[in-house]
Amino acid sequence: MNIAEVERRTGLTRANIRFYEKEGLVAPVRSANGYRDYTEADVETLRKVRLLRQLRLSVADIRAVQAGGRPPPGARAQKLDALEQDLRAGQPAYAACRAVCDDPARRA
């Protein structure tokens, strides 16, 4: 499949897909005309990469995961701490939004 289809199916931009290819996280084959030809396995890999990046793993950590390893314990703890901070920081905004949504006087 072409890169436009991969963009649609993964939610990644063309630039992100090419970056991950350059970093060796995905390796589409080239057709006779030189175009990249992505497989279902490439799409699944890119979906996993996207998820791991959302979890704030570095490209090096993702490479380790792809190789069957795990990120170093310190890196895992840092990521968990960062996600917990995000949750705590987002709770007031969520509560305010929920209050506005639940207030019948504010509904249009």
Side-chain angles (χ1 to χ4, degrees):
M1 76 188 73
N2 65 27
I3 198 164
E5 178 69 9
V6 175
E7 282 181 291
R8 187 184 67 72
R9 293 187 54 196
T10 63
L12 293 168
T13 66
R14 185 175 305 239
N16 286 142
I17 294 165
R18 288 189 175 148
F19 172 77
Y20 295 137
E21 179 183 353
K22 179 180 159 228
E23 291 296 319
L25 299 177
V26 66
V29 296
R30 296 281 183 153
S31 60
N33 61 8
Y35 292 143
R36 293 167 176 87
D37 186 21
Y38 295 90
T39 63
E40 288 296 324
D42 292 327
V43 169
E44 282 306 308
T45 296
L46 288 167
R47 285 180 178 154
K48 288 176 188 173
V49 167
R50 182 177 180 213
L51 173 64
L52 294 172
R53 290 296 289 155
Q54 288 173 331
L55 295 174
R56 297 183 180 179
L57 267 67
S58 68
V59 171
D61 289 343
I62 293 171
R63 237 185 249 110
V65 169
Q66 281 185 323
R70 296 174 68 182
R76 293 191 308 257
Q78 284 178 334
K79 303 312 177 210
L80 186 58
D81 287 344
L83 290 169
E84 287 173 349
Q85 287 175 4
D86 287 350
L87 285 172
R88 282 193 300 277
Q91 286 174 344
Y94 174 82
C97 184
R98 173 60 49 205
V100 168
C101 291
D102 289 345
D103 184 356
R106 296 181 184 224
R107 291 188 187 156

